Every structure is written in structure tokens, then in C-alpha cells.
Amino acid sequence: MPLSWWTPSHTIMLVLLLLFAIAHSGLAALRPWGETKIGARGYRILFALVSLPLAVATIGYFLLHRYDGALLWQLQGIPWIAPLIWVLTAISFVFLYPATFNLLEIAAIAQPQVRLYETGITRITRHPQTFGQILWCVAHSLWLGTSFMMVASAGLIAHHLFSIWHGDRRLRQRYGDAFEELKSRTSIIPFLAIAQGKQTLVWKEFVRPAYLGVAIAIGLFWFTHRWIPQATAALAEIGW
């Protein structure tokens, strides 16, 4: 029996996610070589010029087709579901955009560098972005309840699970024993290192400018969500 719920948009979404994953992780792997050719700042700019258009295209396509396929559940009418989604999303952003990142380096204003971190959110998990993405997918899967959302979540989570191995591999190649020591004191599973007594949360480490940026981003996303229907209508009009 054919999978009637599997629309072409499901396949296209997976292809877009795969292209982004190849570009993003591939450029991350080539960073040591690339920086010897065009410098750290130049490579950061190249990374952004490749990754950002792919990310924008993928997000736009997701917004346009998020209700495609089969409706697996419908929870949007439940009074407490919207606050729950926003709380889960806000927490996911704390993990997705941890304050261990130097904002000036991300924008290539300051010289980008690769560092070993053992403070802030990395005391909870060595790979905060992976679990932030999983939490974001859980929240939006609850809200949308479509097969398209489940396919998108599967692709996103698969890429971030790969990034656990890929990220550790790159840090091991760059830092050797220093990374192995950090690895022994941190955990992949959130809060495991804390439960084992290897880490202790230091709350003042979370008082950083980047978290103010996260708070502002959450507020902006909350404010702009009301215009998502108009944005998707505009995308549909141009035949995306």
C-alpha cells in the first residue's frame, strides 16, 4: 500500500536538511585546512556565506510545508499546550545558543578561535546544541503533530547526533590529551556529569551578554510568530 501521507515535500525537506548538514559539517571539518589558506576570519565569512542561505531556504520551506502530510495528533486546542511549547522552546534556545560562544567571533569582528570549554552550559552537557535541537523538535512536534514535522525532526536530530561524534573528533584532533581530560570530566547526557560529582553548576557563569541576546531572540520570535501565516502565504504566492 502506498504511503499516501508521504508528500513530495517530505522528500524535499530531507534533501534540504542533508545539503545543509553536508555543507555545515563539511566546512567545519575543513576549517583547519581552510584557515591556512584564507585565515580564520576569512573562513568564518565563507562558512556564513555558505551556511546562512541554506539555513534560510530550509527554514522557509519548513514554514511553508509544516502542515503537510498526515495529522498524527491535534493538541493546539488544549489550554496549557501553548505555554508549554513556549517554555520548552525557551529552554531549547538556552542550549542551542550557549553563552560559551563569543558573539564577536561569530560575526568575524574578532578573530575566530576554537577553544575547549568547561563552563556554563557545558557543565550540563558537552554538546548543548544537540539537546537544544532535540528539545525544540519535541516542542514543535507536539504543537504541529504532522508527519512532515516528524520527518523534519528526524533529519534535524540525526544531524545533531552526528555532530556529537564529529565535534568530539575535531576537538580530539586539535587538542589531543587536553580534550580527553575534558571529556572525562564532562558528559554527553545532560546533567550526568553533575550527578556523578564531576561538575558543579556555577550560576554566575550564566550571567553573560550572550544570554541577553538569547532572551531578546526569544522575545522577538514570540512577537513575530503572529506573522508566520502571512509569511507562508507570501512564500506560496511566489511558488516556493
Side-chain angles (χ1 to χ4, degrees):
M1 181 180 295
L3 296 176
S4 58
W5 55 268
W6 186 278
T7 64
S9 60
H10 290 61
T11 302
I12 294 172
M13 189 70 224
L14 286 178
V15 170
L16 287 171
L17 289 171
L18 180 60
L19 289 174
F20 177 80
I22 292 171
H24 194 269
S25 295
L27 286 172
L30 292 171
R31 180 175 179 173
W33 174 84
E35 288 182 345
T36 65
K37 304 300 180 182
I38 59 176
R41 185 175 284 108
Y43 199 77
R44 172 72 72 179
I45 294 171
L46 173 64
F47 188 90
L49 289 175
V50 173
S51 297
L52 287 178
L54 286 172
V56 170
T58 303
I59 292 169
Y61 193 83
F62 167 80
L63 291 174
L64 184 60
H65 295 278
R66 64 194 186 279
Y67 285 108
D68 284 6
L71 181 62
L72 305 176
W73 54 79
Q74 176 58 268
L75 304 179
Q76 293 184 14
I78 301 175
W80 51 263
I81 196 68
L84 174 64
I85 299 307
W86 275 109
V87 169
L88 292 176
T89 301
I91 296 172
S92 77
F93 271 54
V94 173
F95 281 81
L96 276 167
Y97 303 103
T100 50
F101 293 164
N102 188 309
L103 297 180
L104 294 179
E105 291 182 15
I106 291 176
I109 297 172
Q111 183 81 348
Q113 300 180 45
V114 178
R115 299 181 179 87
L116 289 176
Y117 286 108
E118 197 178 344
T119 58
I121 201 76
T122 53
R123 293 183 185 273
I124 297 176
T125 170
R126 193 166 65 252
H127 292 279
Q129 287 181 297
T130 295
F131 292 95
Q133 186 66 76
I134 291 172
L135 193 56
W136 184 92
C137 287
V138 169
H140 286 73
S141 294
L142 285 173
W143 179 253
L144 295 173
T146 61
S147 58
F148 181 86
M149 181 65 221
M150 299 305 293
V151 168
S153 292
L156 285 166
I157 291 172
H159 178 211
H160 281 76
L161 290 176
F162 167 78
S163 74
I164 292 177
W165 171 83
H166 192 233
D168 280 358
R169 174 179 174 272
R170 288 185 288 115
L171 290 175
R172 185 180 298 109
Q173 289 178 335
R174 183 179 288 262
Y175 291 106
D177 291 342
F179 169 72
E180 293 297 335
E181 292 176 7
L182 179 141
K183 183 179 176 182
S184 70
R185 297 190 299 267
T186 57
S187 63
I188 294 174
I189 300 173
F191 296 102
L192 179 60
I194 295 172
Q196 293 173 333
K198 298 177 181 179
Q199 291 290 340
T200 302
L201 284 180
V202 181
W203 296 107
K204 66 180 182 181
E205 293 176 352
F206 291 83
V207 183
R208 302 184 58 144
Y211 279 114
L212 176 61
V214 170
I216 293 172
I218 292 170
L220 287 174
F221 278 117
W222 176 83
F223 184 74
T224 57
H225 260 63
R226 68 192 69 187
W227 290 310
I228 286 180
Q230 293 91 326
T232 53
L235 290 174
E237 285 182 4
I238 63 176
W240 203 354

